[in-house]
Amino acid sequence: MSRSALVGNITAMLEDAGFTVSDRCAIRPKSFDIAARRGDDVLLLKLLANIDAFDGYTGAEMRRLGEYLDATPLVIGLRTRDEELDPGVVYFRHGVPVFSPDTAMDLFIEKVPPLIYAAPGGLYVNIDGDLLSEVRSNEEMSLGKLANELGVSRRTVSKYEDGMNASVEVAAELEDIFDRPLASPVEVLDGAEDVHDGGEDPEEPEADPDDAHIVTVLTRVGFEVHPTSRAPFKTVSEDESRERRMLTGHSEFTRTAEKRARIMSSVGRVTETRSVYVVDRAKRDSVDGTALIEREEFERLNDPEELENLIRDRSELEA
């Protein structure tokens, strides 16, 4: 399957699942391909035929954007090296959950979350430790007896009951012994950080020197500015309350700039974030909801309400 076909298929699947999906971020460089929202669940998705193409720099940016936009970064892919991704298994690359289209279908359409995740050493399952302790007590089985059944130490069984995860093989043996499921789902949308391959929190990139004046103005009017490096927008900015957030871009108003502005509008609608594009000269008020503000006008701003009203007025004029 081509990458373009994969994007189309996943977009259609998400829409069938009740998600609002953004336009494809068909511009380079790009850290994610589409954004999607269903209720309070917001996703930033990278779609790849081969997940080995997903590098640490992109993973770091997706994790940062997920934090800024209250979204979950995800990668949906078909294979790694010459092996297809197993259905029902969550992999992790650079701290971002990765799974196959089949797993995505189960999760988003069938509402059946995955139970297995891949980590160094093999495949693992989250054991419900409280439930394991309860059923073992109900069966009047001692730690030692269960340890003998599993071929592990008493201490290991105790750790399972304290919340330590188990290999797929051990999980299957436990369920055979007690004749009931004991695995907890991998909470991909909430809590996947408990099992990802993590690493240190990614640092923000430096702002492009050409955008220093944009950062200065946004900071002056009370926003915390987060530069990006591979997103279709230059920064994500938020006020102290995080009630006001905006995507910003800056360049001459070319066809490429117009394309970026349209993508920003689409992503902004999904993430419920305003967008503004600063240009040297503007012949219109906005592009699909992304407000266009000339640089000289932008640099005169001193108040967040003034900026908010300007963006809203420009957007409504075109609407």
Side-chain angles (χ1 to χ4, degrees), residues 24 34 46 56 63 93-94 115 119 133 157 159 168-169 181 204 219 246 271 281 283:
R24 181 180 179 182
I34 54 175
K46 186 76 173 175
R63 288 170 61 192
R93 292 292 185 275
H94 310 295
L115 296 175
S133 178
V157 173
K159 285 184 175 180
V168 169
E169 293 77 16
E204 288 187 351
T219 303
M246 69 179 71
T271 60
R281 292 288 181 270
K283 296 182 179 180

Side-chain angles (χ1 to χ4, degrees), residues 206-226:
E206 295 290 333
D208 188 319
D210 291 340
D211 300 321
H213 62 289
I214 304 297
V215 175
T216 298
V217 173
L218 290 170
T219 303
R220 185 174 71 222
V221 300
F223 284 86
E224 183 176 356
V225 183
H226 305 292

